[in-house]
Amino acid sequence: RDRRVSPPSPSSSAPCARARPRRTARRAFAPVCRALRRRARRRRTMEYVSFEGLRLDGRRAREIRATTIVLGVDATVDGSCEYAVGNTRVLATVEGPTEYRAVGSEGDLEPTCAVEARHRESAFAQDGAREARRYDRRAQEFSRTLTGVLESAIVGTLMPRARIRVTTQVLANDGGARAAAVNAATLALIDAGVPLRDMLAAVTVGYIDGHVLVDVNRAEERARGVELTLCAFAGGGDGDAHVVVGEQLDRGKCAVDVFESMHDLALAATRVVGARMRKATLKRTRSLATSRALEKF
């Protein structure tokens, strides 16, 4: 018999045709996979807390970075503050309170105080250049969170039918930028003369390699450990009870006892941060009182 090889059917050649895009996709994602492997290898070899109990920047586990607070840096707005903790620097401005008319309500005024918060991060804030984004999803989400936190701190009943606009700009991000933005916005509101229920303070606590670290920096954030950002009223410093306004747990889950230790340590850190903010506010008040007293004479 004539044994001739029949040509391959279209169904048998289909898998070969589909295999080519898979190989192309593997080649396209190969550099990304190699970078992720190098990052994971570097994370395993890096020691975030030494045997002596020191972190990468020389701090202890419960030590907060040095804080620099400057109020009234922008004269074109009602209130402003430049808040720096370590190498992280945030600029906050406040416009208002101003009269607010709702659009399309035929001139009727709103009975409550409206707060509008906007959070932005500069393209040069982090190490490495990146293009400026028109829409940043993380910034938009934090803007909504910041609006809710500030609304709970502002005494809106004293300013009905008013609007307050708060803008926070991250100039340098070396870790803890969201907590620094909350602190800067609170100080800018105080500089604008907006009545608050209490001093609002925020801090970020991380859990890395079995250690609970207060005020994590950029290198510790890259470890991708569990992070807790807590916002609370700092109190007057005379043993007043803390009132937690908001807290957010990022990057995975943790045990209940670990979360309790992070929560307690974050509450203690907010008292320290609040004391620093109160000291800067009193210093600004004394300087304004002295300058206005000299102007009278």
Side-chain angles (χ1 to χ4, degrees), residues 34-51:
R34 286 195 296 267
L36 291 176
R37 293 193 197 99
R38 287 195 300 266
R39 184 180 299 179
R41 196 181 305 113
R42 186 166 56 251
R43 178 187 173 186
R44 289 193 296 266
T45 57
M46 182 174 292
E47 185 180 19
Y48 293 96
V49 181
S50 64
F51 180 76

Side-chain angles (χ1 to χ4, degrees), residues 57-76:
D57 52 1
R59 293 181 293 152
R60 297 286 180 179
R62 301 189 176 187
E63 188 176 352
I64 303 175
R65 291 174 289 180
T67 306
T68 304
I69 300 173
V70 182
L71 296 172
V73 294
D74 192 353
T76 61

Side-chain angles (χ1 to χ4, degrees), residues 122-143:
S122 304
F124 52 84
Q126 301 181 10
D127 50 349
R130 69 175 180 85
E131 296 182 359
R133 303 174 183 175
R134 274 192 168 184
Y135 179 80
D136 193 347
R137 182 178 57 84
R138 294 182 179 178
Q140 295 294 331
E141 291 179 356
F142 181 70
S143 298

Side-chain angles (χ1 to χ4, degrees), residues 157-175:
T157 57
L158 300 179
M159 301 172 297
R161 307 177 184 89
R163 178 174 59 184
I164 301 174
R165 291 181 176 177
V166 182
T167 304
T168 57
Q169 181 78 31
V170 180
L171 304 178
N173 187 1
D174 191 36

Side-chain angles (χ1 to χ4, degrees), residues 79-96:
S80 59
C81 173
E82 185 176 353
Y83 185 89
V85 50
N87 294 329
T88 301
R89 191 173 299 273
V90 179
L91 176 65
T93 58
V94 173
E95 298 178 4

